[in-house]
Amino acid sequence: MAKATVLMFGLTTFLLCLPAHAEYNQADSPRPTAGKPLQMRTLENPPLAYTDENGEIVGVLVEGIREAVRRTGHEVEFRIYPWKRVLKEVADGNADAAFNAGLTEERQAWGMYNESVLIDETYVFFASEPMALSRDLEEASELRVGTQLGYYYGKRFDRMLQDPPFRALEVAQTIPHSLILLRADRTNVFIGDLLPTLYYLKELGLEDEIHIVREKDSGMPLVVSTSPTYVTFSKRRVDPGYVPVFDKALRSVRADSTFDVILDQYQLNVPELPPERPVKSEP
């Protein structure tokens, strides 16, 4: 499906995807944790990973990773914690891997990253009425902007936040709170992670009231920034030989559209995104 294909997994990373339904010699697969289920950790972030009404951990990335691990001949168990605890558990060797993790030098000291991008977090503006803005945000002085506490929006936008050119800036802790501020006209745009924001719009019944801001020239969603995330495995617990095996399985899950099928189940009305990132990275 085109809309999911544009969003998921950074297409250039998968130019050498495996054929669909690739087979694995599971007997030759390194045991990641002495034959025990792989212990994966992440944060609560629906629809990517979250706890449902039955207390089960579910989500687009949860189900995709579960299938990738299954194709390596192993099982996986998930736990959801605050993000700082997630990283500490993997760094200290109390868990096997964290997922939806950005790539940093600090984390590479204790973690082994698979090569494939797990998902590109995509940040776009949302507004309470249809709106189009210039790619360079020439209208910044007119905007009352909602952001989330502790979020990283890329070098360009974070640099703007150090000396905000906006009319006003409102910081909230959650996406639902940010949407409440938007509806109450405390802000007129909110910069949100696309999939989680679409999830909450659906949950709160706001799909017809909140709109993705478009870019004036192209008419496509105005992507403020994208940030690739990965699975990172603990150097203290996981056989290094397992990481490329997992990566191969993850590529095959992508190649046979398993992730697209999972994403479609959430019926999030994901828009087609620009084929290239519209905002250039800072050096």
Side-chain angles (χ1 to χ4, degrees), residues 228-248:
T229 70
Y230 304 82
V231 178
T232 180
F233 294 87
S234 173
K235 291 181 178 179
R236 295 190 175 189
R237 284 177 59 113
V238 177
D239 182 341
Y242 181 73
V243 179
V245 172
F246 171 82
D247 192 73
K248 183 179 180 181

Side-chain angles (χ1 to χ4, degrees), residues 90-164:
V90 180
D92 291 347
N94 296 322
D96 297 308
F99 65 93
N100 213 11
L103 178 63
T104 69
E105 290 185 10
E106 179 183 359
R107 294 171 189 172
Q108 285 181 295
W110 49 259
M112 300 175 289
Y113 282 77
N114 65 297
E115 291 185 4
S116 303
V117 173
L118 181 62
I119 188 172
D120 273 324
E121 292 181 341
T122 303
Y123 291 97
V124 303
F125 279 128
F126 292 84
S128 56
E129 59 184 29
M131 182 184 296
L133 297 174
S134 64
R135 172 180 171 179
D136 296 328
L137 297 181
E138 297 171 359
E139 308 86 351
S141 63
E142 305 169 11
L143 299 177
R144 291 172 284 118
V145 179
T147 65
Q148 280 187 259
L149 183 66
Y151 268 61
Y152 175 68
Y153 298 110
K155 290 183 179 179
R156 174 182 181 263
F157 196 80
D158 273 33
R159 187 170 297 174
M160 292 180 68
L161 293 178
Q162 293 175 15
D163 185 18

